[in-house]
Amino acid sequence: QVQLAESGGGLVQPGGSLRLSCAASGSIVRINTMGWYRQAPGKQRELVAAISSGGSTNYADSVKGRFTISRDNAKNTVYLQVNSLKPEDTAVYYCNANIIRHGWAYAMDYWGKGTLVTVSS
């Protein structure tokens, strides 16, 4: 069994910052790409940022220069530093990881339950 657990969401004023964390646990052999997605009310889930096992990153245009994704491979954890937050960043943020489990020959995508980020004055 593999689980992803997010933390760090909350209510923040426009211009503020948060640090989201997501830890993977379970019978893990290898974690490939890890990423953060978000889903705002009435909208589809969208990719925010992703990071490969080697550290290559990519970001949605809407967050470039404001959000930074990083990972600690020793802790099976991915982070998202979110700065200069805007009301339109309000969403549930989901962690995603492509993981090879013990006893499995191929990788599968796993999702966390999400953490709510609300940007409001």
Side-chain angles (χ1 to χ4, degrees):
Q1 190 77 352
V2 171
Q3 293 184 329
L4 300 181
E6 301 107 332
S7 62
L11 173 63
V12 62
Q13 292 186 341
S17 298
L18 288 172
R19 190 190 194 207
L20 308 183
S21 299
C22 171
S25 62
S27 58
I28 296 169
V29 172
R30 174 182 171 85
I31 303 178
N32 297 316
T33 299
M34 303 183 82
W36 288 93
Y37 289 71
R38 67 184 181 186
Q39 187 166 19
K43 294 188 176 182
Q44 289 188 330
R45 190 174 298 189
E46 62 176 358
L47 174 67
V48 175
I51 183 167
S52 71
S53 57
S56 298
T57 59
N58 66 283
Y59 296 91
D61 288 342
S62 60
V63 307
K64 284 181 180 177
R66 301 187 298 122
F67 291 11
T68 302
I69 190 170
S70 61
R71 64 190 284 173
D72 184 333
N73 291 329
K75 295 181 178 180
N76 290 340
T77 299
V78 62
Y79 305 96
L80 187 68
Q81 179 68 40
V82 297
N83 299 328
S84 304
L85 282 163
K86 306 175 182 179
E88 51 263 42
D89 293 318
T90 295
V92 178
Y93 284 70
Y94 296 92
C95 175
N96 170 269
N98 186 258
I99 295 173
I100 300 176
R101 293 173 53 183
H102 282 286
W104 290 65
Y106 51 89
M108 290 182 61
D109 276 345
Y110 293 86
W111 292 88
K113 294 181 179 180
T115 184
L116 177 63
V117 173
T118 303
V119 184
S120 175
S121 55

